[in-house]
Every structure is written in C-alpha cells, then in structure tokens.
Amino acid sequence: MESQHTIGYGLRYMTDLCPPAYLTLCVQCVVGVFLQTILAGIVIAKILRPKKRRQEMRFSRMAVIGPLDEHDKRPTLMIRLADIQEKLFLAESHVRLYMACSKINSRGDRELIGVKDMNVGYDSGWDRVLLLWPIIVRHVINEDSPLYGMSRENIVKADFELIMTVEGIVEATGMTFQARTSFLPDEILWGYKFKPMVLMNEKLSKYEVHYSFFDQTERVCDFDAQTIETEETEDEHHHNASGFL
C-alpha cells in the first residue's frame, strides 16, 4: 500500500474492519518523512562541504631562511602562503607551524620522538592572517626556536619535518576547513628570501599580484651566518615578533 506520494486508493481503501492497516499507514508516513529529511540533510551537507576550498590554498614549494627584513638581520624561517580563490573569502583564518622530529631506534626503525611548536606570532596575534593577498609567514629563530644553534650543515643532516597548517571559515557557508603542507630539510634554502610579488601598477594606480613570482627566491648576499645565534633586547623582541609580511 502506497500512501507517502498519493491518496488515491481507487476502490481499495482502509476501513475500521482492518485496524492494522492504520498502524501500517502511520509507521510508513513517519519512516518516509524521516528518510526524506536525512536525504535532504545529506545533499545539503555535500553541497556546503568545503572540501575543495583547501585545494585553493597555495603554499610555496620551498621554505627559506634569511634576514627578517632589510633593517633587521635576525635569521628567520619564511614560508609564502596565498589564497587563490577570489570569490569565497575566508574569516578567522590562522596559521600554525610545527616541527616533527624523528630518529632511528636500536631496531633500525624510524620513530617519531616529538612534535615541537614553532612560534609564528601567537603572543602578538600575527598568527591570525588576512588572506586578501599573498603573505609570508615568518618564524624568528631565537633562543626559543627549535632551529636555534643549527648551522646550514646541521639542518641538511637533521631528521625533522616542518608541518604548516592554515585553518579558516568560509564566509558564504560558515563551514571550517584546514589545509596542510610540510617541508623536509632539503626543501629549506639557506640565505634566501622571496621575491616581491605584490607590485604597484603605476598606469592603473593599483597593486597587482604576480603569481609567476610565487615560488621565486633570491640570494641574500650579506646573510653569511653559519650558526643561527641571535642577541636581541626585550624591546626588539616585542616589536619584531614572529608573524607575516
């Protein structure tokens, strides 16, 4: 007996002589509405789920270690990040950076020995980024950094992996997402910096983003530190905390 989509029974209809038919009809209606609700929820969740949003987050292929800027020569680990989506903007986006260290145990197997947090400006709020244009996430290598005291040769031979995550909320749907990338020691360039890619167009009087420069780096000639050691005052640490450019 079909009652969910039609009420036309023709010559066959329920009477008070068959009480189980009323019970069957009620159960069928409740179960049918319940199944339709679940189906509608699955379809809506599938449409709103931002699984492709993470694919529109672009990370640089290489990380670089160079001076913080032209005036501050403190060694800094830098990674470029961009949101190539121009319509679905992000809200409350923030970044995290971790170092996962490993070693070879007595049995010859590689095991994870710990994950260390790397400061990208948590104390000053620079970890909350505005991805309207490409940015450079930076981690100042000071005494609190896991990279402190390491030379170029130590980094190449070290057993670690840098894991970077970016999380945000898609404004159009309110759904959250997370994108991740990682860098091995041989994917870190020593004594380099990223080329500028947000340049002013003098004819149009507006800034333009040149994505052809996204992964391009340039050598820093005066960055010749062999071992990462810095001496900074409390004021310098306050005004030049880890963050982004």
Side-chain angles (χ1 to χ4, degrees), residues 20 105 120 145 159 171:
N105 58 26
V120 289
S145 171
D159 293 327
E171 288 184 345

mmCIF file with all atom_site columns, all heavy atoms in Angstrom, residues 20 105 120 145 159 171:
data_model
loop_
_atom_site.group_PDB
_atom_site.id
_atom_site.type_symbol
_atom_site.label_atom_id
_atom_site.label_alt_id
_atom_site.label_comp_id
_atom_site.label_asym_id
_atom_site.label_entity_id
_atom_site.label_seq_id
_atom_site.pdbx_PDB_ins_code
_atom_site.Cartn_x
_atom_site.Cartn_y
_atom_site.Cartn_z
_atom_site.occupancy
_atom_site.B_iso_or_equiv
_atom_site.pdbx_formal_charge
_atom_site.auth_seq_id
_atom_site.auth_comp_id
_atom_site.auth_asym_id
_atom_site.auth_atom_id
_atom_site.pdbx_PDB_model_num
ATOM 1  N N   . PRO A 1 20  ? -4.954 -3.025 11.747 1.00 0.00 ? 20  PRO A N   1
ATOM 2  C CA  . PRO A 1 20  ? -3.504 -2.999 11.438 1.00 0.00 ? 20  PRO A CA  1
ATOM 3  C C   . PRO A 1 20  ? -3.148 -2.110 10.261 1.00 0.00 ? 20  PRO A C   1
ATOM 4  O O   . PRO A 1 20  ? -2.005 -1.633 10.161 1.00 0.00 ? 20  PRO A O   1
ATOM 5  C CB  . PRO A 1 20  ? -3.197 -4.473 11.145 1.00 0.00 ? 20  PRO A CB  1
ATOM 6  C CG  . PRO A 1 20  ? -4.224 -5.234 11.904 1.00 0.00 ? 20  PRO A CG  1
ATOM 7  C CD  . PRO A 1 20  ? -5.460 -4.408 11.812 1.00 0.00 ? 20  PRO A CD  1
ATOM 8  N N   . ASN A 1 105 ? 65.821 4.088  15.815 1.00 0.00 ? 105 ASN A N   1
ATOM 9  C CA  . ASN A 1 105 ? 65.972 3.381  17.094 1.00 0.00 ? 105 ASN A CA  1
ATOM 10 C C   . ASN A 1 105 ? 66.938 2.219  16.969 1.00 0.00 ? 105 ASN A C   1
ATOM 11 O O   . ASN A 1 105 ? 67.531 1.978  15.913 1.00 0.00 ? 105 ASN A O   1
ATOM 12 C CB  . ASN A 1 105 ? 64.604 2.908  17.607 1.00 0.00 ? 105 ASN A CB  1
ATOM 13 C CG  . ASN A 1 105 ? 63.893 2.001  16.619 1.00 0.00 ? 105 ASN A CG  1
ATOM 14 O OD1 . ASN A 1 105 ? 64.523 1.330  15.793 1.00 0.00 ? 105 ASN A OD1 1
ATOM 15 N ND2 . ASN A 1 105 ? 62.568 1.952  16.708 1.00 0.00 ? 105 ASN A ND2 1
ATOM 16 N N   . VAL A 1 120 ? 54.828 31.543 15.405 1.00 0.00 ? 120 VAL A N   1
ATOM 17 C CA  . VAL A 1 120 ? 54.640 32.413 14.242 1.00 0.00 ? 120 VAL A CA  1
ATOM 18 C C   . VAL A 1 120 ? 53.829 33.648 14.629 1.00 0.00 ? 120 VAL A C   1
ATOM 19 O O   . VAL A 1 120 ? 53.105 34.221 13.814 1.00 0.00 ? 120 VAL A O   1
ATOM 20 C CB  . VAL A 1 120 ? 53.954 31.656 13.081 1.00 0.00 ? 120 VAL A CB  1
ATOM 21 C CG1 . VAL A 1 120 ? 54.886 30.657 12.467 1.00 0.00 ? 120 VAL A CG1 1
ATOM 22 C CG2 . VAL A 1 120 ? 52.668 30.981 13.536 1.00 0.00 ? 120 VAL A CG2 1
ATOM 23 N N   . SER A 1 145 ? 63.467 28.977 19.650 1.00 0.00 ? 145 SER A N   1
ATOM 24 C CA  . SER A 1 145 ? 63.166 28.252 18.420 1.00 0.00 ? 145 SER A CA  1
ATOM 25 C C   . SER A 1 145 ? 63.854 26.893 18.403 1.00 0.00 ? 145 SER A C   1
ATOM 26 O O   . SER A 1 145 ? 65.000 26.762 18.866 1.00 0.00 ? 145 SER A O   1
ATOM 27 C CB  . SER A 1 145 ? 63.626 29.066 17.208 1.00 0.00 ? 145 SER A CB  1
ATOM 28 O OG  . SER A 1 145 ? 63.533 28.306 16.020 1.00 0.00 ? 145 SER A OG  1
ATOM 29 N N   . ASP A 1 159 ? 67.010 15.167 11.144 1.00 0.00 ? 159 ASP A N   1
ATOM 30 C CA  . ASP A 1 159 ? 65.826 14.340 10.886 1.00 0.00 ? 159 ASP A CA  1
ATOM 31 C C   . ASP A 1 159 ? 64.600 15.041 11.467 1.00 0.00 ? 159 ASP A C   1
ATOM 32 O O   . ASP A 1 159 ? 64.230 14.821 12.619 1.00 0.00 ? 159 ASP A O   1
ATOM 33 C CB  . ASP A 1 159 ? 65.983 12.949 11.509 1.00 0.00 ? 159 ASP A CB  1
ATOM 34 C CG  . ASP A 1 159 ? 67.075 12.140 10.841 1.00 0.00 ? 159 ASP A CG  1
ATOM 35 O OD1 . ASP A 1 159 ? 67.272 12.314 9.629  1.00 0.00 ? 159 ASP A OD1 1
ATOM 36 O OD2 . ASP A 1 159 ? 67.733 11.345 11.538 1.00 0.00 ? 159 ASP A OD2 1
ATOM 37 N N   . GLU A 1 171 ? 33.162 32.298 4.475  1.00 0.00 ? 171 GLU A N   1
ATOM 38 C CA  . GLU A 1 171 ? 32.105 33.247 4.834  1.00 0.00 ? 171 GLU A CA  1
ATOM 39 C C   . GLU A 1 171 ? 30.762 32.873 4.227  1.00 0.00 ? 171 GLU A C   1
ATOM 40 O O   . GLU A 1 171 ? 29.712 33.066 4.849  1.00 0.00 ? 171 GLU A O   1
ATOM 41 C CB  . GLU A 1 171 ? 32.502 34.650 4.370  1.00 0.00 ? 171 GLU A CB  1
ATOM 42 C CG  . GLU A 1 171 ? 33.618 35.276 5.182  1.00 0.00 ? 171 GLU A CG  1
ATOM 43 C CD  . GLU A 1 171 ? 33.901 36.698 4.751  1.00 0.00 ? 171 GLU A CD  1
ATOM 44 O OE1 . GLU A 1 171 ? 33.440 37.077 3.662  1.00 0.00 ? 171 GLU A OE1 1
ATOM 45 O OE2 . GLU A 1 171 ? 34.581 37.417 5.488  1.00 0.00 ? 171 GLU A OE2 1
#
